[in-house]
Amino acid sequence: MTSIESVAAHTSLRFPTGFVWGAATSAFQIEGSTEFGGRSPSIWDVFCRQEGRIADGSDGSEACDHYNRYRDDVALIKELGMDAYRFSISWPRVIPNGVGAINEEGLGFYDRLVDELLAAGIRPLPTLYHWDLPQALEDRNGWVNREVAEAFADYASAVVCRLADRVDTWTTLNEPFVVANHGYVTGEHAPGRTLMADGMAASHHLNLAHGLAGERIRSLAPDARLATVLNFTPMRPATESEVDRLEAYHRNNLENRWYSDPIAGLGYPEDTADFYKWDCSEVRDGDMEVISQPIDLLGVNFYSRSTVSADKSYKAPIGTSRNAMGWEIHPPSLGRLLRELHERYSFPSFMITENGAPMPDTVRKAGRIEDNDRLNYIREHLVQVHGAIADGVPVEGYLVWSLFDNFEWAWGFGPRFGIVEIDYDTMARIPKKSAEWFSEAARVNGFDYGHLADPAIYWPKKTIEDEDDD
Ligand code: IFM
């Protein structure tokens, strides 16, 4: 990366040459056509059919109909001037039984998508697993079963063999914490299971899956870069009480370090394993070495921070700025997080692989949604990224979540994260004001920003330790 000018005196932010501007989606959230092209049911198809699981009773069978409209969608991404597009590959489309025969029609879809992107000058950034486990593998105990990690490596090999000549960066998993926690502990996500011990076993097998697939990627595509995508939610205790601090400490270890620490060779935070009563019996000799092979890029998904209390009835104070799903909006936490990740780990590079917000999207002018709130959210977070880069954190790009309004898992289609509106009646794609702003920012590799007279907005490094968190 080229050097970046000192930011404090400027009102015009410019990112380093080559900074990547793009958008992200995932297969189940946008593709639809879940019963076509030889795809088998995933855990999400089954979960959606269970009474009460999805807030609006919806499912992913149509979603944004991207499976049929991918050519137009790629044209739109190009029109928006994006450098890269992050999407996920659906395991049940490619290997319907989870193991064994490859479904040519399914793999062919991603082959064509990658070609279409490249022809449009857009860099494809595929993620191999974004939550849609083939149900056939859940029937064998899902991620609680070690064999699923091995099956994932075989699936990864099949995809990499086919696309390696056109993909420069392979991402193994998206947000394994959410997979293990929401899927196996709280039950709010598919497969809807609720046992802490299962969640802990799943977490190790997800780490192992990353490692085993990583080995395959290294041998099949030696020139490609290996990446994984983790979500980070900085934690702060609600009060200074010992119990709140302890709760925040272990939650932080479980949500924010459980995947990155082992990859960085630091192992699992042991006291937190004890706290959650995990005896580590799933960890076999050699696993931690497989998991800790070097990665080239850590994808950072960031949305919010959490205020943690040991008191389950704790309610955050009214007045905090929140998105339409109630998540606190706190951009400085992103700048701080990036500096902390860089200090803690020696990963060569970071990319913001998801950041964005569901907003009410009620104001419309001349047929277009005037989403100033989303635009501000994105801009304020980009300011933080810029500040972190200025402090030496190697952040190579920013991908907004999401390109489209889409299926927001247990929330259904209610929350709208897109910078492009989807009219679900007509499937029309209508760029919102934030999309136009983002497109211009991508074009000039930055944006004008009015408040830089206040350098504190950058969360300068020297104040990390002693800042007051408000
Ligand atoms: O929609 C999800 C995405 O699939 C994973 N990261 C968080 C997003 C918003 O909840």
Side-chain angles (χ1 to χ4, degrees):
M1 288 198 181
T2 60
S3 71
I4 197 160
E5 291 161 309
S6 153
V7 290
H10 292 248
T11 54
S12 185
L13 293 189
R14 290 296 174 270
F15 285 73
T17 306
F19 188 78
V20 177
W21 298 81
T25 63
S26 88
F28 192 75
Q29 293 179 275
I30 66 162
E31 283 180 4
S33 296
T34 47
E35 293 182 7
F36 295 93
R39 180 187 179 279
S40 69
S42 73
I43 52 173
W44 274 94
D45 299 280
V46 172
F47 191 69
C48 289
R49 285 198 290 268
Q50 295 167 5
E51 188 71 32
R53 293 296 202 180
I54 310 298
D56 58 3
S58 62
D59 58 41
S61 56
E62 281 189 71
C64 306
D65 195 27
H66 171 74
Y67 186 73
N68 293 311
R69 295 166 195 255
Y70 76 93
R71 286 203 170 86
D72 291 345
D73 289 343
V74 170
L76 176 61
I77 300 169
K78 181 179 180 177
E79 218 174 286
L80 292 175
M82 308 238 176
D83 304 312
Y85 172 57
R86 174 174 178 243
F87 58 96
S88 79
I89 294 177
S90 164
W91 188 347
R93 261 194 211 293
V94 174
I95 303 190
N97 285 330
V99 291
I102 294 171
N103 170 37
E104 176 49 39
E105 212 178 331
L107 191 48
F109 170 70
Y110 299 104
D111 202 333
R112 291 193 298 280
L113 175 62
V114 164
D115 280 348
E116 195 75 18
L117 287 164
L118 290 171
I122 301 157
R123 189 169 150 214
L125 290 174
T127 297
L128 289 159
Y129 185 73
H130 196 128
W131 306 358
D132 46 356
L133 188 73
Q135 178 62 34
L137 292 180
E138 174 56 21
D139 295 343
R140 292 167 60 182
N141 209 10
W143 286 107
V144 178
N145 181 352
R146 183 181 177 96
E147 287 171 14
V148 171
E150 288 153 11
F152 177 71
D154 290 343
Y155 151 69
S157 299
V159 177
V160 173
C161 278
R162 180 65 167 265
L163 303 178
D165 56 335
R166 286 156 288 158
V167 167
D168 61 27
T169 303
W170 285 102
T171 296
T172 52
L173 307 177
N174 180 74
E175 301 184 2
F177 166 74
V178 177
V179 177
N181 185 69
H182 294 33
Y184 292 86
V185 180
T186 67
E188 62 204 283
H189 278 190
R193 292 161 65 174
T194 51
L195 203 61
M196 190 70 195
D198 285 351
M200 300 310 270
S203 74
H204 179 63
H205 296 145
L206 283 153
N207 270 329
L208 184 64
H210 159 77
L212 292 172
E215 288 181 336
R216 304 288 187 90
I217 292 165
R218 288 284 186 221
S219 77
L220 292 166
D223 295 334
R225 297 193 312 162
L226 175 62
T228 193
V229 166
L230 306 178
N231 58 302
F232 293 93
T233 307
M235 306 284 166
R236 57 175 192 158
T239 70
E240 286 304 304
S241 75
E242 192 48 33
V243 279
D244 282 357
R245 289 175 74 90
L246 200 67
E247 185 78 17
Y249 169 79
H250 289 301
R251 281 268 305 275
N252 183 54
N253 278 348
L254 191 64
E255 293 200 31
N256 299 320
R257 294 191 168 166
W258 204 255
Y259 302 87
S260 44
D261 269 17
I263 290 173
L266 303 174
Y268 291 110
E270 271 176 33
D271 49 351
T272 298
D274 292 346
F275 185 77
Y276 291 110
K277 301 188 174 48
W278 183 44
D279 61 7
C280 302
S281 54
E282 286 82 9
V283 181
R284 294 193 190 161
D285 282 354
D287 283 3
M288 301 316 282
E289 286 71 37
V290 171
I291 293 167
S292 62
Q293 70 187 283
I295 56 169
D296 300 298
L297 171 71
L298 178 67
V300 174
N301 290 359
F302 175 86
Y303 291 91
S304 182
R305 69 172 176 178
S306 265
T307 306
V308 177
S309 170
D311 172 4
K312 299 291 170 239
S313 63
Y314 171 79
K315 291 253 179 315
I318 300 168
T320 317
S321 166
R322 290 180 186 275
N323 72 21
M325 285 163 74
W327 302 350
E328 184 180 358
I329 297 172
H330 195 260
S333 288
L334 175 58
R336 179 181 179 179
L337 167 72
L338 289 169
R339 291 176 178 87
E340 286 178 350
L341 288 173
H342 184 50
E343 269 171 30
R344 185 170 177 83
Y345 305 119
S346 52
F347 299 139
S349 191
F350 298 94
M351 185 185 285
I352 307 302
T353 36
E354 286 184 27
N355 177 243
M359 292 297 186
D361 282 359
T362 44
V363 182
R364 192 178 284 273
K365 283 196 190 139
R368 180 191 66 167
I369 286 175
E370 289 265 312
D371 56 341
N372 289 317
D373 41 13
R374 180 177 294 103
L375 189 161
N376 280 333
Y377 178 98
I378 295 169
R379 187 183 56 183
E380 295 298 325
H381 285 81
L382 274 161
V383 168
Q384 293 298 324
V385 173
H386 189 276
I389 295 171
D391 274 352
V393 185
V395 186
E396 63 181 75
Y398 175 99
L399 312 179
V400 67
W401 184 272
S402 180
L403 177 63
F404 296 133
D405 294 334
N406 59 45
F407 178 76
E408 178 52 25
W409 307 110
W411 291 72
F413 289 98
R416 287 178 177 261
F417 272 91
I419 58 169
V420 174
E421 177 192 5
I422 298 287
D423 177 331
Y424 291 112
D425 294 329
T426 63
M427 288 294 168
R429 278 77 166 128
I430 311 156
K432 302 176 191 176
K433 184 176 174 183
S434 57
E436 288 171 23
W437 180 88
F438 193 80
S439 173
E440 178 60 12
R443 192 181 67 77
V444 303
N445 198 26
F447 48 89
D448 294 338
Y449 189 76
H451 309 294
L452 284 187
D454 177 9
I457 197 141
Y458 283 97
W459 210 268
K461 197 171 182 170
K462 62 179 167 15
T463 66
I464 283 181
E465 299 308 329
D466 53 15
E467 47 85 13
D468 118 286
D469 248 336
D470 291 330

